[in-house]
Amino acid sequence: MDKLATALDSLGVQAGVAAHGVIAPDRGIDELTTATVNRVRGFGRLNHISGEWRAGEFGLPVSPFDDLLGGDLAANLAIVEALLAGRAPTGLVDTIALNASVAMWIVGKTSSAREGVPLARELLLGGAVKDKIAATREFYRS
């Protein structure tokens, strides 16, 4: 994570956060989650960020890691369909909202990483993401 953030900073990337969700001492996940402690390191204009983020700091409950598990292609497609229909595990919805909220903050759409969580959740569960995916599929079909 530190090497990635340093490399991206050296390449002149304007802003971002390298993240590592800690599953166990020798095992992790390369994204923010609500199921783990998240080690973060900023780069670019966010290079002052370094530490650990937890779900509670974003107003989210800690979720079981099982909420984030996928499977083979068919299982993952079913998970996406359930997610877009509002039937996914809460931990998965919260983790996606967390990542989207941080992304919105990084690009300046919100004034804090926490502020975008409700907006991200509404976009995901309110149909905007489903509509965008459908429009993208239609674009590539034609």
Side-chain angles (χ1 to χ4, degrees):
M1 187 191 64
D2 287 333
K3 288 180 183 179
L4 177 61
T6 300
L8 291 167
D9 201 41
S10 296
L11 290 170
V13 176
Q14 290 182 8
V17 176
H20 175 81
V22 180
I23 298 170
D26 60 345
R27 189 165 170 241
I29 187 169
D30 293 333
E31 64 185 83
L32 300 167
T33 81
T34 58
T36 64
V37 170
N38 302 285
R39 292 188 182 134
V40 296
R41 169 96 189 284
F43 50 90
R45 67 177 163 73
L46 301 176
N47 66 2
H48 62 282
I49 294 173
S50 182
E52 294 182 344
W53 289 352
R54 291 170 171 73
E57 296 171 44
F58 298 88
L60 298 166
V62 175
S63 64
F65 193 77
D66 285 352
D67 280 6
L68 308 180
L69 297 178
D72 62 14
L73 177 60
N76 290 342
L77 288 172
I79 290 168
V80 170
E81 291 303 318
L83 176 68
L84 296 175
R87 297 186 321 267
T90 302
L92 179 58
V93 172
D94 288 347
T95 290
I96 292 169
L98 170 60
N99 280 275
S101 179
V102 170
M104 287 187 281
W105 168 63
I106 289 169
V107 300
K109 296 293 182 187
T110 61
S111 61
S112 72
R114 181 180 175 148
E115 180 184 325
V117 170
L119 174 59
R121 182 185 308 284
E122 174 57 31
L123 291 169
L124 182 61
L125 299 178
V129 172
K130 183 177 182 177
D131 292 346
K132 182 55 96 175
I133 290 171
T136 302
R137 284 180 180 157
E138 184 57 35
F139 174 81
Y140 283 104
R141 282 189 189 127
S142 38

